Amino acid sequence: MGRKVAFITGGSRGIGKEIARKFAQNEYNIVVNYVSDKTDVAELEKELNQNGNVEVLCVKGDVTDFSTCEQMVKDAIEKFGTIDVLVNNAGITKDNLLMRMKEEDFDKVINVNLKGTFNMTKNVISYMMKQRNGRIVNISSVVGVSGNSGQANYSASKAGIIGFTKSIAKELASRNILSNAVAPGFIETDMTDVLSDTVKESINSQIPLRKMGKAEQVANAVYFLGSEENTYITGQVLNVDGGMIM
């Protein structure tokens, strides 16, 4: 048997890149989807393949477009012959109070976060069903569980991902395809780095562990649920949030 293959959307930076790195470290071949023209593909491949013993395929594409997702999946299958793990990580925020939220900002967030998850999953499962094995890990958020002021669009998209995850877990279990969601809380990223110390202290005071999480901690949870170590967990939401939501 050849190496297993993990496909990560939005995998060129932040949590997505950390997830891709974790699978690469465990000798999975990697397919990374990215959307920005600024992405340095050669550098990304080099970063993910530090051991030099896995193959990395970078595919540019907008997950909101169904035919683009179809083509990216075909490219991955053409190169590797299989997709064993799908991680739906691509996501955006366009925060505002509902009173001020523009319709296009609601639509865009739903399209990337929720419809993008549908587009990718729909195109991957036919291959997983044929091989009667697969792991799907969808990145939700604690605000998909709790809601959050100023994030009606984002919270709705992430709550939708939870419902989607549980539904496909029931549909696909007979084919040994496990579907779970990981819901990060406050994680140290480029977005949180710019916050003032006062804001960071306020955030940390809401977290029982009194600190933000790291992308690596999210990646560890995603890797476990997506790997062959997980053989009996499906339809679950794992909060990686320092105890913020209990």
Side-chain angles (χ1 to χ4, degrees):
M1 279 182 61
R3 288 191 196 283
K4 292 200 172 291
V5 178
F7 193 131
I8 297 96
T9 68
S12 64
R13 60 197 177 91
I15 290 171
K17 189 185 346 184
E18 202 59 51
I19 292 167
R21 186 182 284 126
K22 181 72 179 178
F23 277 97
Q25 286 168 351
N26 284 275
E27 303 195 341
Y28 280 66
N29 287 330
I30 305 296
V31 186
V32 169
N33 151 260
Y34 67 99
V35 75
S36 172
D37 290 326
K38 296 175 185 171
T39 302
D40 185 334
V41 173
E43 180 60 30
L44 181 59
E45 287 178 354
K46 186 178 164 189
E47 267 192 78
L48 294 178
N49 191 16
Q50 291 185 351
N51 297 333
N53 60 354
V54 300
E55 292 185 78
V56 179
L57 172 66
C58 295
V59 286
K60 184 173 186 284
D62 183 349
V63 295
T64 66
D65 186 80
F66 187 86
S67 59
T68 298
C69 293
E70 187 176 30
Q71 188 58 53
M72 289 192 295
V73 170
K74 281 180 178 171
D75 290 346
I77 293 293
E78 194 173 304
K79 181 167 180 65
F80 294 122
T82 182
I83 296 171
D84 301 285
V85 184
L86 171 64
V87 181
N88 284 306
N89 168 76
I92 61 166
T93 57
K94 288 189 178 290
D95 297 348
N96 217 330
L97 294 173
L98 184 61
M99 186 77 89
R100 298 191 193 121
M101 189 176 288
K102 295 175 184 170
E103 182 186 3
E104 57 263 36
D105 287 348
F106 186 88
D107 289 346
K108 182 70 174 171
V109 169
I110 294 291
N111 281 339
V112 174
N113 299 3
L114 184 54
K115 186 159 188 286
T117 296
F118 163 80
N119 287 344
M120 285 302 304
T121 307
K122 168 83 171 164
N123 280 296
V124 164
I125 59 167
S126 58
Y127 297 101
M128 288 184 172
M129 287 171 81
K130 277 179 202 159
Q131 65 196 28
R132 300 189 73 86
N133 192 55
R135 304 285 183 273
I136 297 164
V137 185
N138 298 320
I139 305 302
S140 180
S141 167
V142 291
V143 303
V145 180
S146 67
N148 196 29
S149 175
Q151 289 193 304
N153 49 1
Y154 186 73
S155 298
S157 73
K158 294 301 188 176
I161 284 172
I162 291 172
F164 180 80
T165 299
K166 290 173 179 284
S167 297
I168 64 170
K170 290 182 175 181
E171 289 183 24
L172 301 173
S174 64
R175 300 296 180 98
N176 197 37
I177 300 169
L178 310 183
S179 166
N180 292 285
V182 169
F186 284 106
I187 305 298
E188 291 175 3
T189 61
D190 294 342
M191 281 194 287
T192 58
D193 284 346
V194 299
L195 299 174
S196 69
D197 288 344
T198 310
V199 171
K200 286 180 183 174
E201 281 171 27
S202 172
I203 289 169
N204 290 343
S205 70
Q206 302 169 45
I207 303 168
L209 285 180
R210 292 289 184 265
K211 59 185 177 182
M212 291 191 201
K214 298 185 183 298
E216 182 186 354
Q217 291 165 324
V218 178
N220 288 342
V222 172
Y223 175 74
F224 169 72
L225 289 171
S227 74
E228 291 299 307
E229 290 176 37
N230 173 25
T231 56
Y232 204 60
I233 300 170
T234 195
Q236 301 305 306
V237 183
L238 178 55
N239 296 337
V240 182
D241 64 356
M244 202 169 88
I245 304 291
M246 295 194 195

